[in-house]
Amino acid sequence: KALLQSIKDHFGDGLSWADLIILAGSAALEDMGGREVRICPGRSDVSAEDAAAGSMYLDPTIYLNPENATASDLKRSMRIMNFTAREMTVLNGGGHAIGKAHKSKSGFEGPWTHAPTTLSNGFFQ
């Protein structure tokens, strides 16, 4: 949020946080070599109270503990969210192709690939 605050301040109510986050994420993916993403603006923001109330519909079992989660746990989590095996593979591989592992979360520190700022299939190689 801190990185986007100045943009939000500049556009004020004319740009929702929801649209700004989608725009920023899409721009980041494009910057890393992903395809151009067409943006369809018009999302509205909800209050923190409404957001918290909406979260009660999320299934808490989709969140996995990286210390002991198995492939079966991941598959079950993705089935709950109605992802296909192909979509699950794309999310897992794409998510690991960029960025790095954090010791506090996974026990490992460092990038997953040789080019952690480029969207690629490097995680699978």
Side-chain angles (χ1 to χ4, degrees), residues 1-8 17 20-21:
K1 185 175 174 181
L3 291 172
L4 301 176
Q5 187 66 57
S6 64
I7 298 169
K8 177 65 174 141
W17 274 108
L20 180 54
I21 290 167

Side-chain angles (χ1 to χ4, degrees), residues 7 9-10 23 25 30 40 42-43 46 49 52 54 63 76 78 80 83-84 93 102 115 117-119 121:
I7 298 169
D9 291 344
H10 178 78
L23 179 62
E30 289 176 23
C40 181
R43 293 164 191 82
V46 297
E49 295 80 24
Y63 302 103
R76 181 183 45 74
M78 292 296 142
I80 290 169
F83 285 114
T84 65
H102 300 275
T117 60
T118 302
L119 190 60
N121 66 353

Side-chain angles (χ1 to χ4, degrees), residues 74 85-98 112-114 118-125:
L74 180 60
R86 183 177 181 164
E87 291 165 334
M88 178 182 77
T89 302
V90 169
L91 287 171
N92 187 40
H96 286 91
I98 56 176
W112 294 104
T113 67
H114 296 291
T118 302
L119 190 60
S120 69
N121 66 353
F123 179 70
F124 298 109
Q125 297 175 342

Side-chain angles (χ1 to χ4, degrees), residues 12 19 23-24 51 58-59 65 72 74 80 98 107:
D19 276 345
L23 179 62
L58 293 177
D59 187 325
N65 181 342
S72 293
L74 180 60
I80 290 169
I98 56 176

